[in-house]
Each structure stands twice: as structure tokens, then as C-alpha cells.
Amino acid sequence: METRTLGNSGLTVSALGLGCMGLSYGYGPATDKQNAIDLLRAAFDKGVTFFDTAEAYGPFANEELLGEALQPFRDQVVIATKFGFQQGDSTKGQDSRPERIRQVAEEALMRLRTDRIDLFYQHRVDPNVPIEDVAGTVKELIQEGKVKHFGMSEAGVESIRKAHAVQPLAALQSEYSLWWREPEKEILPALDELGIGFVPFSPLGKGFLTGKIDENTQFDKTDFRNVVPRFSEDNRKANQKLVDLLGDLAKQKAATPAQIALAWLLAQKPWIVPIPGTTKRHRLEENIGASAIELSADDINQIDTTFSQIPVQGDRYPAHLQKRVGG
């Protein structure tokens, strides 16, 4: 697989990374441990060198899983993890106090079985802690050799600029896909200006753009999508038009809807690195196949024109989670 560099940071990763959350948390029961380890190692064997986790995924279980799975080739991969929630619990409030950031770093190093965190993200902006203090703390961790690069997740332009002035950001991680294009308004221009890479999570619309979810799909009771307005039965039915169109485009390219959705993202900017997640080996191979698909300017124009004609129904987050975004 080809590689990409995240902005001006010098941090080089595979063009597609792997979002690892779903192996432990968020989308139903955790994957069997050995199966999860096998999948992570298969991803590496197929060229993936960028693995994304967080203390909040479990909590803690996902970091421990990656620590074991990636240990045999630790020096050949880039591991990103995150701090920012009280006691590592995403159902609780934010906590990016300097002492908490340091605690998370030390504990993550142990769980990940490593001596450094390649990319350390603030999971959500903490309104109670000046972003300059957050960036300053990560800067100290970088100087100590415990962290290599600083990132933020779902942050707004103002916070990005303030943090970047203290400790340059290697990457911003936020949702971006064919059915969530909000970052194009302010975020992408700011990142381009500042030389910051962009790591889209949920590049397949939390699975919807794969074409494998419809109005009749039943999610596990622990699946995060049960509380997402965009995934209500009525909205899934309304949004099916998008997936049908993506399927038509995919047939023209002898590809799958997921591959076209990922190839579209890769074509937007050379410093964009999507991190689709999966628990299934055949889906992993399908996603990786997207990196070999080249979309022409006409293809991109066709996709953009087609999708612009169909409004997406439903918010991407319930109100209480949307409040954590930006800042």
C-alpha cells in the first residue's frame, strides 16, 4: 500500500489506517480476542501501518488488545491513542487537566507495551482547561520522548489554531465521508493553511455506505448507532437513495460501494488518511482494495453532483454528544 504524510509533521503512515474501536467497544459485543489479534496482524501483513485506538474504547481494553497484537512489529507501525475523558469513560465529562493527560500517557504506554505514543490526540476539547495548557503538556511529553506527535479530535478551528501555536499538530481526527461533508466548510481550509493532516473516522458512515445496512437492520442493544438520529428506521429508509447511487457508481468501476466511498476520500487531499474500522477479515481486504482505485476528475464530479441532489436525513449525533464537538 502507498503511504501518506500527515501535513508538515513528517509522520508517514499507510494511505488507509485501521480504526480499532469496534473490536472492543461501540458496535455490539467485543470481538473474540484471538480473532481480533488475527485481524490486526492481517492488516499489517496487507500494508496497514496506522492503527487508531483510545483509552475510552472499552475503556482500556482496546489499547491492551493493540499492545498484544502489534508487539511483534511495534517499530514498523504507527499507533495513535487518545486522552480526554474522566477516568477514561466516554459517558462521563471531559478531563484534559495536565495531570490527567500525564496519567493517561503513562498508563497507555503500559497497555500498549511500548515506550512511546506515536500520535496522542485530545479526544474532545475540554471547556474547563485552556487548550494552551493541553498543548503545553503534550509538548512536554514530546520533549521527554514519551509522545512523538500531537493531535486533536473533533476540535473547532479556533482551538486548532491556539493549540497549533503552542505545539504543532500532526493531525486532526474528525468524521468525514460522502454523507458528512461539514469539514469542507472551515476545517479542511484551515488544516491546509496550517500544514495539519486529516484523519477521517467513520469514512463509511458508521457502516451505512457499505450498502449492508437498511431500514430492517437490527442493531445489538449495546450498539452506539441505536442513539444516532441518522440511524432511525425512517432515516435509514430515506437515506437508502444515497447507497443505491453509490452502488450504481461502484458497478461502473467494478468495485464495491465501500471502496468508492473510501477512494473518494483519498482523492480529496494527499494529506487525508481515512481509518475505516471492521471486525471481519473480508471487509478488511475490501477496504484495503480501495487504495488501488483511482477516480478521475470526471468521476469525482459525477459523485459530487449526484450526492448533492439528495439531502441526508437525520443528525449525525444526538444532542448531548453534539455538544462535545468543536470549541
Side-chain angles (χ1 to χ4, degrees):
M1 189 187 302
E2 292 184 355
T3 60
R4 293 188 166 198
T5 301
L6 292 170
N8 296 335
S9 68
L11 182 59
T12 299
V13 297
S14 50
L16 283 172
L18 183 64
C20 302
M21 180 185 80
L23 293 169
S24 305
Y25 171 85
Y27 292 112
T31 303
D32 170 79
K33 180 182 175 182
Q34 190 55 53
N35 288 341
I37 289 173
D38 290 345
L39 184 134
L40 290 163
R41 292 178 175 171
F44 173 74
D45 288 341
K46 293 184 177 299
V48 175
T49 62
F50 188 30
F51 295 85
D52 183 88
T53 184
E55 65 157 354
Y57 301 160
F60 315 127
N62 200 241
E63 286 183 331
E64 292 171 349
L65 173 67
L66 264 65
E68 181 173 348
L70 304 181
Q71 190 174 29
F73 38 84
R74 171 64 187 98
D75 292 339
Q76 297 169 261
V77 297
V78 170
I79 300 176
T81 192
K82 309 175 192 74
F83 63 86
F85 288 115
Q86 294 178 22
Q87 300 165 26
D89 187 341
S90 62
T91 66
K92 299 181 178 179
Q94 290 97 308
D95 185 355
S96 284
R97 293 171 299 144
E99 59 268 32
R100 175 62 187 162
I101 296 172
R102 285 189 164 276
Q103 179 187 357
V104 175
E106 295 294 346
E107 293 176 355
L109 288 170
M110 289 189 289
R111 286 190 289 266
L112 291 167
R113 305 187 186 187
T114 186
D115 61 352
R116 80 280 185 192
I117 297 166
D118 298 307
L119 179 55
F120 204 27
Y121 290 107
Q122 182 186 35
H123 212 149
R124 293 292 185 272
V125 172
D126 186 339
N128 299 315
V129 180
I131 192 62
E132 294 87 349
D133 292 352
V134 174
T137 302
V138 177
K139 183 174 185 175
E140 292 171 359
L141 290 168
I142 291 172
Q143 291 169 342
E144 294 164 18
K146 296 175 181 177
V147 170
K148 293 296 184 183
H149 297 276
F150 178 34
M152 298 179 76
S153 178
E154 293 274 48
V157 171
E158 182 179 358
S159 291
I160 292 169
R161 290 187 182 279
K162 288 180 178 179
H164 189 69
V166 176
Q167 171 57 48
L169 290 162
L172 175 77
Q173 180 178 127
S174 287
E175 185 168 356
Y176 183 38
S177 70
L178 272 168
W179 80 334
W180 180 254
R181 299 181 64 171
E182 186 72 17
E184 294 172 355
K185 295 179 181 178
E186 295 183 355
I187 293 295
L188 289 182
L191 300 183
D192 200 4
E193 172 198 341
L194 298 170
I196 300 170
F198 190 46
V199 179
F201 68 78
S202 296
L204 298 176
K206 299 179 175 65
F208 193 74
L209 296 179
T210 65
K212 303 302 179 182
I213 294 172
D214 61 24
E215 62 188 285
N216 300 313
T217 300
Q218 297 293 312
F219 298 114
D220 184 87
K221 63 181 181 180
T222 63
D223 194 306
F224 164 70
R225 289 170 290 193
N226 286 312
V227 302
V228 175
R230 192 164 287 192
F231 278 86
S232 72
E233 185 176 331
D234 287 345
N235 285 334
R236 276 182 276 156
K237 184 176 182 180
N239 292 326
Q240 185 62 39
K241 296 176 184 177
L242 292 164
V243 177
D244 292 342
L245 283 169
L246 196 56
D248 292 340
L249 292 165
K251 289 177 183 177
Q252 297 174 24
K253 289 287 185 180
T256 67
Q259 288 174 331
I260 296 300
L262 291 171
W264 177 86
L265 270 174
L266 289 168
Q268 299 308 303
K269 299 288 183 182
W271 37 265
I272 287 179
V273 180
I275 50 167
T278 186
T279 60
K280 300 178 178 65
R281 181 78 68 92
H282 68 282
R283 292 287 174 223
L284 171 70
E285 295 175 358
E286 177 185 350
N287 292 344
I288 290 172
S291 65
I293 295 174
E294 291 189 13
L295 297 178
S296 67
D298 287 343
D299 293 331
I300 297 296
N301 185 59
Q302 180 188 2
I303 292 169
D304 290 345
T305 300
T306 302
F307 271 72
S308 68
Q309 296 169 355
I310 303 176
V312 179
Q313 302 298 316
D315 293 333
R316 72 171 181 129
Y317 279 143
H320 72 286
L321 293 182
Q322 184 60 35
K323 290 179 180 177
R324 293 176 171 176
V325 176

